[in-house]
Amino acid sequence: WLAVVVRDEEGRRRFHGAFTGGFSAGFYNTAGSKEGWTPQTFTSSRKSRAEHKKQSIYNFLDEEDIKDMGGNALETSQQYDTFGFTAAEHARKQASKEQNERPSAIPGPVPDELVVPATTSIGVKLLMKMGWHQGRTIKDAHADSLYESRREARKAFLALSGVSNDEDQDQIASQKSRVDENVAESFNKISASGNTPVYVLHPKEDLHGLGFDPFKHAPEFKDRKRSHKSVNRDRNRSDVSVRGSLLISNSGQYAPGFGIGALEELGVEDEDIYASGFNYEQTEVDIEPSKTSGDSKFKLEDKKRGFFLSFKIASNSEYKLERFHPPEIPADFDGRHKFSSPIQTADKFSDLAPPEVPPPEDTTLRLLIEGCAAMVARCGKHIEDFYKEKSKASPQFLFLDGGDGCSYYTRKLWEHQQKFIDRQRPGAVKSKPSSDKLTAENRGTILGEKPLDRSSKSSSSFVSAKEAVQLQSNLGDTFVKPISLDGVPESKKPFRNEPAKQARFEQFLKEKYQGGLRIASLAPTITMSDADRARERLDFEAAADAIEKGKEYKAIDPLSILGLPGLNEQRFVSSTQLESSAVLQDERPMYPQREEFEWRPSPILCKRFDIVDPFMGKPMPLRRPISKMDTLMFMTESTKKINEDVRGSSTIPQNAAVSGTEETEAQETANNPDIVASRMQRPVDLYKAIFSDDSDDDMDEPLNNQQVDPVKTSEGANMALNRLVAEDFLESLGKELGLEVPPEKPAQPPNVLFRSEILPTADASVSRNGQTSTFREIKENEGSLGLMEAANGNGDDPSSNVEKLDFKYEHSADIGRSHSLHRQIRNGSPESDTSIERHRSRKRRSHHRNRSPTPDSGSSDERRSSKKRKSHSRHRAGRSRTPDGDLSSDSQRNKRKRREKRSHQTRMSDSDSSDHEYKEKYTSSSRRSSDKDRSRKHSKHRSW
Amino acid sequence: SLSLSPKKKGGSPTPEPSARGRTKEMSSAAQQLPRTESRTLSGHEGAVLAVRFNHDGKYCLSCGKDRTVRLWNPHTGAHVKTYKSHGREVRDVNASSDNAKLVSCGGDKQIFYWDVASGKVIRKFRGHNSEVNSVKFNEHNTVVLSAGYDRSVRAFDCRSQSSDPIQTIDTFQDSVMSVNVTNTEIIAGSVDGTVRTFDIRMGRETVDNLGHPVNCISLSNDRNCLLANCLDSTVRLLDKNSGEMLQEYKGHICKSFKMDCCLTNDDAFVIGGSEDGFVFFWELVDAPIVATFRAHSSVVLFPCHQRHLSPNKDLHVDVICRWDHSCLDLKIEIADVCYPY
């Protein structure tokens, strides 16, 4: 670099600004001088994006260069090549060139369509998709589609004709003779929808730019070219003569079998100048004027000939709109519908009610007449005819033919018919879906009828004389008080209007007050919806209660005793009314109600109020999602324990006496809020709690009497669960309906369930339902498990993902450390190099330990003792399992033994390491798989 | 400038001689209850929604739909100061025990923390999602508690610069109408029919379900009883510790307005307003109506009763503010009977 100092005329150095070149801008600081160029000033495009300049080559050329370029700098532009003709044409040319060069199986030129690459522009493609073809106007037309089909057909025909060119000639000719005039007409129409041919005097037939003349400097070639064209034309004409009129518009260049449409103009591009088989003649013909005329002539000829010989338009289209005459209205139509059946007949019968006739003296005859009348009324007139036919001989049936007792018969028949109609009508009503709640009896009571006895149903059938007698008595009975249905007193039949319901109610009563085997569910109950069933059950409960009460007051009207005036009417009362009345009745005396919950003031609030924080700065337990199923989740002991810690520490300000351990624990938790948080989020899976039964208990001797049978437990839990769900549902339903819920527990407002701050959330909500003895047992078992798990945080849970596990592992180690000095030392000891094998054995052990449920009564003392028990059991189990083929080294075994001798506190690190293994093993395990895995292991272990 | 407590002379109102004479004659305490209007404080340009005495009873604060908080000397009738900054109606106002700060709340979802003397807003506490119904200082004036329509009670720290609540209590099921503070407790009444007592020392929340929307909570002077004005036209007296209902007071109309209720200084009488413009006095124990008088032409929203502790005499003042739909006569009327006790 030469340190040349450039100075201007006055001897100054030009300075161009610190960032734009300084003292050496441009070539030897020539920037801005006469010799140098001026740099473009930088303009940020940020503010003036639109003004961003495009560089063009002219920016870099001086006049000389531009002159060299010839003055007219041309640029290619694809802008106006709307249909991509240029590109397509180019490709086509290229293809034909190539085709000429290579030998082809097909003699002659390969049809262009075959070789043209798909270079149509997107516009064309779209148009094609919409049914457009080149050379057509873009215009919708029914005619277009017609044209289209014609063209297709034509093409096919041409192909045919091309193949069997010679022998088909005469056939074609014959077809030609059958040209219809219609075709020509429609063809005219069609051609109108095609591109309007524009005849230019001197049509531009090349692809050069407008005004561009390639033969500008060589006029001799121009002539040559022209002559070549004329040759083509001539050849076309000769083709026409060769092939006849059929293919007249086709260029001869095309291979037989492929044609273009008749109306498609022959473009220059369609011609194959390289086609072989013809010699070029150089004839000078001025074609220009004749060409156009020739073209038009061809067209005319085409039209005249009408060459779609075999495809003609049907003279009458199938799509013709068919018209019908309006229906003729009969002269006697009055626009009103007449109902033919029962009503009419009823009317008819009522109209001509035959006079009351005394029955004939002969009883047998009377019975016969009655039975016959009943039968006829039921089955119809033809029965009567049948009887007549049959009993011509017998004198007994003379009444049918107007003999003795005929009038009595007609009278009876009328009565029966009347009755039959009456019976039919409510049946018809009943069949309607909307009124299915109304039974016939119901309706009867509404209409004020006296119910008939059941047996009267058979009355109308003609069975025997004796029954017929009974029938009569029954008829008389219609106006007599019916026999009480069963021995059941009236008061026990609150649903006597609905027999089905009454039956169910009786069943319900039986279930309630009597023991014994019975079918699980009544068939009709199944058809009811859940809500209906629940409501009905509530009804039943109330009714049963009322009956119990009502036993003392037999004399009084049962319904009024029942105190359920709306038992049946209830449906017709608006629900809000009911609810409000229920509320008023039931809940008012209960106010004011008092409930207490845990509440956590924020530490800063306590500080501002000058009050010691009752929770010592421990965070709130995590809020649980509010859902009903959630209350069925078990809380782990861990959460419980924390709450206890909390409680313990909250008593600190008041009770001076606090145990040291508690305090340390409290402090510990206070110091490690993270631990607490990690402990919080572990509700034990319901599934796990129930189904991971502890069948390896058989390894342990039962520890004491309190040991719960695991099978029982899980069964009990299942049952409890089901009942819980069911009862919960029922209860909520009852509340919704505003009915009294069978009082098994004190009513509580629903919000109790979902209080996050409440200490024993799960406990409270569970015990709320009062069915939870077994349930709670499980929970306590779980709790005792959880005790250990609580200490090591989320230690034993493989379900959490690995990162979490890792994290928790550390924390649990932390806890362990602070929990006892002993452990602290151990944790730091170099036992961390445990082999997988040892891990596994340990894990097995820890599993085992965790699986053994020990009932826990809850107090810390007992729990401690139970811990000891458990650790003992662990030792036992461990010893019993020693010969199970551990491959670990002697030293390790020794170590293990040592460990086993240690107190229960050591289990911390045990399960920690098992954690560790989990972490190793289930690096990417989903909860499910890990669970499965775990159970598998579990079973394996069991089999040992 | 101006501070509430000592400077402004407490201009003890010259009590009516007749009234004084009467009180001397009358032995029964019931007859000493105020029955006449002694003064009218006019100045509000809209309905008055709340009136509060300051701690020692020398001044009173009122606020209302004209979006202002006003400071009065009820004994002279002087209008001391107007605090304007609220964008919506002001629903409640409270003065700190050292008379240096005010806190007010209302429809604009914020709680304004005022400097009394300068009349400037020191801070605005945000956090409520809708209108704020009630505010209170705690005993040490360090925390402001507010009850809002958003079903929450929020506590704001006056000492920090933050405008966010330090605690939010959102166990309510419905709008919280009124909040009260004792040394260790926060008591709030809600439209969901509950009175909830949050004991900070014990970390307990006690829910007393009254079954009817609770408009207003006030505490007895011995802090053992709660007075809850419910929307079923009943004032209920509860034992704070046991939750028992001690007495119900009826006779007035309270069905749609948020109306206050309070106890007299000696806890002998319960005072409540009525929607027909009357003020009711009930005897505490037996709940008979011992006195009523017509104070306003329309709804009496806010009977307010405060001990006046002047050095040589005890004053007993009732201030009743009213909601007047016609907006023609927007005044605070003071029924003032002075008697020594």
Side-chain angles (χ1 to χ4, degrees):
Chain A
W1 196 80
L2 288 168
V4 182
V5 177
V6 182
R7 293 173 192 280
D8 65 0
E9 299 85 357
E10 288 156 37
R12 289 171 306 196
R13 296 179 65 188
R14 273 195 305 272
F15 181 69
H16 293 275
F19 297 104
T20 51
F23 283 112
S24 60
F27 183 73
Y28 289 114
N29 205 11
T30 54
S33 71
K34 209 174 74 185
E35 297 85 17
W37 49 273
T38 310
Q40 212 176 22
T41 49
F42 170 77
T43 49
S44 167
S45 66
R46 187 172 183 171
K47 280 181 183 168
S48 53
R49 277 182 192 282
E51 292 167 18
H52 184 61
K53 263 189 207 164
K54 256 189 189 169
Q55 287 185 327
S56 78
I57 192 166
Y58 292 105
N59 293 356
F60 305 97
L61 298 176
D62 54 11
E63 295 100 274
E64 270 178 61
D65 294 329
I66 292 168
K67 228 178 273 169
D68 288 345
M69 280 179 68
N72 51 348
L74 292 176
E75 282 175 10
T76 53
S77 165
Q78 301 284 326
Q79 243 175 334
Y80 298 106
D81 191 14
T82 315
F83 291 150
F85 278 131
T86 327
E89 180 59 20
H90 181 72
R92 202 175 289 171
K93 282 257 169 66
Q94 191 71 26
S96 62
K97 207 184 284 170
E98 276 173 29
Q99 196 273 330
N100 273 350
E101 278 163 14
R102 90 176 96 87
S104 167
I106 309 166
V110 171
D112 288 346
E113 286 90 339
L114 276 190
V115 268
V116 168
T119 46
T120 46
S121 72
I122 187 65
V124 172
K125 274 182 194 162
L126 284 174
L127 282 171
M128 297 272 226
K129 282 239 165 107
M130 289 154 65
W132 178 84
H133 278 256
Q134 290 202 347
R136 303 267 315 280
T137 49
I138 302 166
K139 142 180 168 186
D140 106 299
H142 159 72
D144 269 8
S145 58
L146 199 62
Y147 169 79
E148 200 57 40
S149 57
R150 292 243 173 81
R151 218 174 65 100
E152 291 298 319
R154 206 161 61 229
K155 269 188 186 174
F157 176 68
L158 288 183
L160 264 178
S161 70
V163 169
S164 52
N165 206 354
D166 304 322
E167 63 259 40
D168 283 351
Q169 274 294 350
D170 35 17
Q171 192 194 340
I172 290 163
S174 67
Q175 279 175 338
K176 182 177 66 182
S177 66
R178 281 183 278 141
V179 169
D180 202 333
E181 208 48 43
N182 273 340
V183 180
E185 266 179 33
S186 64
F187 180 74
N188 274 336
K189 247 186 271 162
I190 292 157
S191 68
S193 76
N195 257 346
T196 323
V198 179
Y199 298 109
V200 186
L201 219 58
H202 299 280
K204 178 178 157 10
E205 292 180 310
D206 51 15
L207 293 171
H208 306 300
L210 271 179
F212 176 78
D213 189 1
F215 311 109
K216 193 175 167 188
H217 303 295
E220 58 273 52
F221 287 109
K222 194 184 188 178
D223 295 338
R224 172 122 186 163
K225 162 106 179 172
R226 201 182 288 163
S227 63
H228 159 69
K229 273 182 191 164
S230 68
V231 164
N232 271 354
R233 285 283 136 71
D234 285 346
R235 207 173 53 228
N236 275 356
R237 244 174 249 168
S238 65
D239 258 309
V240 169
S241 63
V242 164
R243 292 204 180 182
S245 59
L246 194 68
L247 299 174
I248 202 142
S249 68
N250 267 347
S251 134
Q253 298 309 104
Y254 292 107
F258 294 94
I260 59 166
L263 288 180
E264 280 174 17
E265 294 294 320
L266 261 187
V268 186
E269 66 269 22
D270 294 327
E271 294 171 3
D272 198 347
I273 37 172
Y274 303 103
S276 57
F278 292 95
N279 291 323
Y280 295 126
E281 280 176 41
Q282 299 197 3
T283 37
E284 302 269 337
V285 187
D286 192 10
I287 269 190
E288 303 296 341
S290 72
K291 184 203 168 196
T292 47
S293 65
D295 265 9
S296 59
K297 227 186 276 166
F298 292 154
K299 276 186 185 299
L300 279 177
E301 274 172 359
D302 289 351
K303 281 173 202 164
K304 269 182 210 151
R305 284 171 194 160
F307 41 76
F308 337 107
L309 302 176
S310 56
F311 301 94
K312 60 173 190 175
I313 293 178
S315 52
N316 46 353
S317 143
E318 286 174 346
Y319 297 110
K320 193 179 170 188
L321 201 67
E322 217 175 328
R323 289 185 186 282
F324 298 95
H325 293 291
E328 278 180 22
I329 301 168
D332 59 340
F333 180 71
D334 62 343
R336 205 173 290 172
H337 182 66
K338 282 175 196 150
F339 292 93
S340 56
S341 59
I343 299 171
Q344 208 187 7
T345 51
D347 287 347
K348 200 174 76 195
F349 278 117
S350 60
D351 279 345
L352 19 114
E356 192 91 46
V357 178
E361 294 90 317
D362 189 1
T363 27
T364 48
L365 181 65
R366 206 190 77 195
L367 285 178
L368 199 61
I369 288 173
E370 277 167 6
C372 195
M375 202 62 193
V376 170
R378 254 182 86 167
C379 303
K381 198 75 181 161
H382 56 97
I383 286 288
E384 197 186 33
D385 295 336
F386 176 72
Y387 280 137
K388 272 183 198 167
E389 194 68 30
K390 258 213 152 175
S391 55
K392 271 202 175 126
S394 112
Q396 272 188 324
F397 283 89
L398 272 178
F399 64 89
L400 288 172
D401 282 331
D404 195 14
C406 176
S407 54
Y408 182 70
Y409 166 72
T410 40
R411 171 70 195 178
K412 265 298 160 205
L413 180 64
W414 177 79
E415 272 175 11
H416 278 296
Q417 269 168 339
Q418 208 66 343
K419 224 164 74 185
F420 188 63
I421 289 156
D422 280 351
R423 199 174 302 130
Q424 261 179 347
R425 254 181 278 165
V429 170
K430 201 185 171 188
S431 68
K432 278 190 210 160
S434 60
S435 58
D436 58 352
K437 292 262 164 66
L438 281 178
T439 58
E441 282 87 346
N442 243 341
R443 192 183 164 79
T445 47
I446 288 168
L447 295 174
E449 289 172 8
K450 291 274 179 176
L452 277 176
D453 197 53
R454 292 277 156 101
S455 57
S456 67
K457 272 183 185 168
S458 61
S459 62
S460 50
S461 60
F462 176 65
V463 190
S464 76
K466 273 185 185 166
E467 284 199 353
V469 175
Q470 203 200 348
L471 174 146
Q472 182 59 25
S473 72
N474 276 336
L475 279 176
D477 243 9
T478 311
F479 309 102
V480 171
K481 197 179 179 185
I483 312 150
S484 173
L485 288 182
D486 292 322
V488 192
E490 280 293 290
S491 63
K492 274 206 173 185
K493 295 190 156 294
F495 305 102
R496 57 185 115 58
N497 293 338
E498 293 164 272
K501 197 172 180 184
Q502 175 65 31
R504 265 175 277 147
F505 177 59
E506 273 155 24
Q507 179 76 14
F508 169 80
L509 279 184
K510 231 198 230 166
E511 258 170 61
K512 190 165 181 177
Y513 294 118
Q514 299 167 22
L517 269 177
R518 54 182 66 89
I519 313 151
S521 65
L522 282 165
T525 341
I526 295 162
T527 58
M528 297 168 74
S529 77
D530 275 351
D532 277 347
R533 213 177 307 163
R535 193 214 308 257
E536 193 180 79
R537 198 183 148 88
L538 291 177
D539 278 0
F540 287 169
E541 287 283 2
D545 276 0
I547 285 168
E548 280 296 294
K549 267 188 241 151
K551 271 180 183 166
E552 287 94 322
Y553 318 97
K554 276 259 167 79
I556 314 170
D557 178 39
L559 270 183
S560 67
I561 303 169
L562 295 185
L564 27 106
L567 253 193
N568 297 307
E569 287 79 11
Q570 198 174 69
R571 308 209 152 103
F572 311 109
V573 175
S574 83
S575 61
T576 49
Q577 229 175 324
L578 248 184
E579 217 163 331
S580 62
S581 67
V583 165
L584 284 181
Q585 276 181 358
D586 303 332
E587 297 185 27
R588 181 185 272 172
M590 297 168 85
Y591 288 124
Q593 302 162 339
R594 171 162 280 214
E595 294 159 56
E596 296 221 353
F597 302 107
E598 191 186 71
W599 174 67
R600 295 198 170 222
S602 72
I604 181 85
L605 189 74
C606 298
K607 200 174 162 190
R608 292 281 176 259
F609 270 80
D610 264 350
I611 292 169
V612 181
D613 185 358
F615 297 99
M616 307 296 283
K618 280 183 286 298
M620 301 263 288
L622 287 178
R623 202 186 183 95
R624 241 159 254 95
I626 297 172
S627 85
K628 260 201 177 154
M629 279 310 287
D630 207 63
T631 57
L632 296 173
M633 293 294 247
F634 295 99
M635 267 176 91
T636 33
E637 191 62 22
S638 57
T639 19
K640 219 177 179 181
K641 197 188 170 198
I642 276 160
N643 285 335
E644 275 164 14
D645 282 353
V646 159
R647 217 191 277 140
S649 54
S650 72
T651 54
I652 290 175
Q654 294 133 24
N655 315 348
V658 183
S659 76
T661 52
E662 260 181 350
E663 203 162 58
T664 47
E665 267 187 17
Q667 274 172 4
E668 178 187 307
T669 35
N671 290 339
N672 296 324
D674 284 348
I675 299 170
V676 182
S678 68
R679 279 182 191 180
M680 292 299 172
Q681 32 188 287
R682 253 192 88 232
V684 167
D685 207 344
L686 198 62
Y687 175 82
K688 221 167 80 188
I690 294 172
F691 293 105
S692 63
D693 70 328
D694 318 304
S695 30
D696 43 346
D697 274 355
D698 46 4
M699 311 277 282
D700 291 329
E701 307 93 333
L703 294 173
N704 48 25
N705 308 343
Q706 290 176 0
Q707 179 82 30
V708 192
D709 181 11
V711 180
K712 222 189 212 164
T713 314
S714 61
E715 267 180 14
N718 258 331
M719 269 169 53
L721 238 181
N722 288 339
R723 291 184 73 166
L724 270 179
V725 171
E727 293 218 355
D728 222 23
F729 167 71
L730 271 177
E731 191 199 350
S732 66
L733 199 99
K735 269 187 183 157
E736 264 175 38
L737 295 169
L739 296 168
E740 196 184 2
V741 183
E744 287 181 347
K745 57 264 160 181
Q748 271 177 320
N751 62 333
V752 191
L753 273 172
F754 310 117
R755 299 296 298 265
S756 62
E757 305 94 325
I758 315 165
L759 165 73
T761 317
D763 209 339
S765 56
V766 160
S767 61
R768 210 166 67 83
N769 290 309
Q771 302 277 346
T772 47
S773 53
T774 43
F775 202 56
R776 223 187 258 154
E777 262 174 8
I778 289 184
K779 215 176 112 216
E780 272 163 14
N781 292 341
E782 197 55 40
S784 63
L785 302 183
L787 239 194
M788 301 177 270
E789 294 176 350
N792 57 353
N794 281 346
D796 212 4
D797 192 0
S799 60
S800 32
N801 58 21
V802 183
E803 290 83 39
K804 243 189 196 163
L805 247 176
D806 201 8
F807 180 71
K808 279 165 200 159
Y809 170 62
E810 277 173 26
H811 276 303
S812 47
D814 243 11
I815 297 177
R817 214 172 297 138
S818 47
H819 207 65
S820 74
L821 200 67
H822 202 44
R823 216 184 309 140
Q824 198 174 18
I825 296 163
R826 251 187 52 69
N827 252 343
S829 71
E831 287 204 356
S832 48
D833 59 339
T834 46
S835 68
I836 299 271
E837 199 54 43
R838 221 175 71 222
H839 272 309
R840 191 168 298 153
S841 69
R842 257 199 225 155
K843 198 189 68 210
R844 248 179 259 125
R845 216 176 311 121
S846 65
H847 256 246
H848 179 75
R849 192 183 60 242
N850 288 347
R851 287 298 133 210
S852 65
T854 318
D856 195 352
S857 49
S859 83
S860 60
D861 280 356
E862 280 210 9
R863 207 178 297 132
R864 227 165 273 140
S865 64
S866 77
K867 271 185 206 171
K868 264 171 207 159
R869 254 184 267 132
K870 220 167 293 152
S871 68
H872 284 314
S873 76
R874 188 174 63 79
H875 290 165
R876 238 175 291 142
R879 235 168 277 133
S880 70
R881 230 179 294 108
T882 17
D884 64 1
D886 271 0
L887 300 173
S888 55
S889 68
D890 271 359
S891 64
Q892 276 167 345
R893 199 172 290 156
N894 284 341
K895 259 187 203 165
R896 206 186 318 129
K897 272 181 187 162
R898 236 184 290 135
R899 210 177 311 120
E900 281 167 4
K901 270 173 213 153
R902 254 177 240 140
S903 73
H904 67 279
Q905 286 154 332
T906 55
R907 73 199 137 72
M908 283 290 69
S909 56
D910 267 354
S911 42
D912 283 354
S913 50
S914 76
D915 270 357
H916 198 60
E917 193 193 319
Y918 269 124
K919 192 181 70 185
E920 288 171 1
K921 279 214 136 184
Y922 303 101
T923 38
S924 65
S925 65
S926 68
R927 179 194 187 104
R928 191 173 181 104
S929 69
S930 62
D931 262 350
K932 227 186 279 169
D933 209 282
R934 184 176 178 165
S935 60
R936 207 187 54 226
K937 271 198 188 136
H938 197 51
S939 60
K940 191 167 51 173
H941 159 60
R942 205 185 303 158
S943 67
W944 287 343
Chain B
S1 59
L2 191 80
S3 170
L4 261 186
S5 48
K7 280 188 212 157
K8 184 86 180 177
K9 195 176 76 69
S12 56
T14 52
E16 295 170 38
S18 63
R20 172 157 284 187
R22 196 170 62 226
T23 49
K24 276 183 179 166
E25 292 167 17
M26 290 178 184
S27 53
S28 149
Q31 276 156 333
Q32 294 171 356
L33 288 170
R35 284 196 181 86
T36 53
E37 171 187 335
S38 73
R39 204 176 304 285
T40 301
L41 306 175
S42 17
H44 269 289
E45 290 156 12
V48 179
L49 295 180
V51 178
R52 301 262 184 218
F53 276 97
N54 75 329
H55 207 64
D56 57 10
K58 283 181 180 170
Y59 293 89
C60 78
L61 289 155
S62 65
C63 58
K65 290 208 129 186
D66 59 353
R67 297 175 291 183
T68 57
V69 176
R70 284 166 202 260
L71 175 65
W72 310 86
N73 184 334
H75 309 291
T76 63
H79 177 203
V80 182
K81 204 168 176 66
T82 305
Y83 301 89
K84 291 181 181 171
S85 214
H86 272 282
R88 299 280 182 95
E89 85 274 11
V90 189
R91 295 193 176 182
D92 198 7
V93 63
N94 196 21
S96 66
S97 56
D98 58 359
N99 291 330
K101 302 286 195 298
L102 292 182
V103 72
S104 67
C105 66
D108 45 7
K109 303 180 191 177
Q110 295 178 7
I111 294 143
F112 287 61
Y113 184 52
W114 306 84
D115 181 41
V116 169
S118 67
K120 283 181 180 155
V121 178
I122 302 169
R123 202 168 298 138
K124 292 177 187 169
F125 297 118
R126 296 183 179 88
H128 275 287
N129 298 322
S130 53
E131 294 89 339
V132 189
N133 289 324
S134 177
V135 274
K136 284 280 189 308
F137 274 110
N138 74 334
E139 199 187 26
H140 310 294
N141 306 314
T142 50
V143 175
V144 169
L145 286 141
S146 65
Y149 185 74
D150 59 351
R151 299 182 289 181
S152 68
V153 167
R154 285 166 206 257
F156 299 91
D157 189 1
C158 294
R159 292 199 172 160
S160 80
Q161 293 297 316
S162 161
S163 65
D164 297 326
I166 51 173
Q167 175 128 35
T168 301
I169 304 167
D170 50 6
T171 58
F172 296 93
Q173 317 274 305
D174 208 334
S175 169
V176 191
M177 295 307 280
S178 136
V179 66
N180 253 297
V181 193
T182 67
N183 289 343
T184 60
E185 289 161 319
I186 301 165
I187 305 162
S190 161
V191 179
D192 63 6
T194 60
V195 175
R196 291 172 198 249
T197 310
F198 301 91
D199 192 328
I200 300 166
R201 190 172 56 191
M202 307 289 287
R204 304 291 293 164
E205 172 188 353
T206 309
V207 180
D208 291 314
N209 194 346
L210 300 181
H212 295 283
V214 178
N215 256 339
C216 167
I217 295 290
S218 62
L219 279 166
S220 66
N221 294 310
D222 61 0
R223 304 289 189 218
N224 284 330
C225 293
L226 274 174
L227 201 62
N229 194 4
C230 297
L231 262 189
D232 59 341
S233 297
T234 311
V235 178
R236 293 183 166 84
L237 184 71
L238 301 176
D239 183 50
K240 203 175 72 178
N241 295 321
S242 69
E244 265 178 88
M245 181 148 68
L246 301 175
Q247 194 53 265
E248 288 186 336
Y249 307 95
K250 292 182 179 180
H252 63 304
I253 305 167
C254 173
K255 288 184 184 302
S256 53
F257 285 90
K258 176 190 189 304
M259 297 164 81
D260 243 42
C261 62
C262 59
L263 286 155
T264 54
N265 285 338
D266 49 2
D267 282 345
F269 298 101
V270 173
I271 313 171
S274 173
E275 288 180 14
D276 53 7
F278 279 88
V279 176
F280 282 76
F281 293 89
W282 292 275
E283 212 269 309
L284 182 85
V285 183
D286 298 326
I289 300 169
V290 290
T292 61
F293 67 94
R294 190 171 179 86
H296 290 282
S297 58
S298 70
V299 182
V300 175
L301 274 189
F302 218 92
C304 182
H305 191 92
Q306 193 73 4
R307 182 180 355 216
H308 179 102
L309 301 168
S310 58
N312 44 15
K313 65 185 99 153
D314 285 336
L315 265 186
H316 206 87
V317 183
D318 275 293
V319 172
I320 296 103
C321 82
R322 54 100 71 91
W323 171 292
D324 196 337
H325 289 290
S326 67
C327 286
L328 292 173
D329 183 21
L330 303 161
K331 289 163 194 163
I332 303 167
E333 292 166 6
I334 299 176
D336 187 349
V337 174
C338 307
Y339 60 95
Y341 63 95

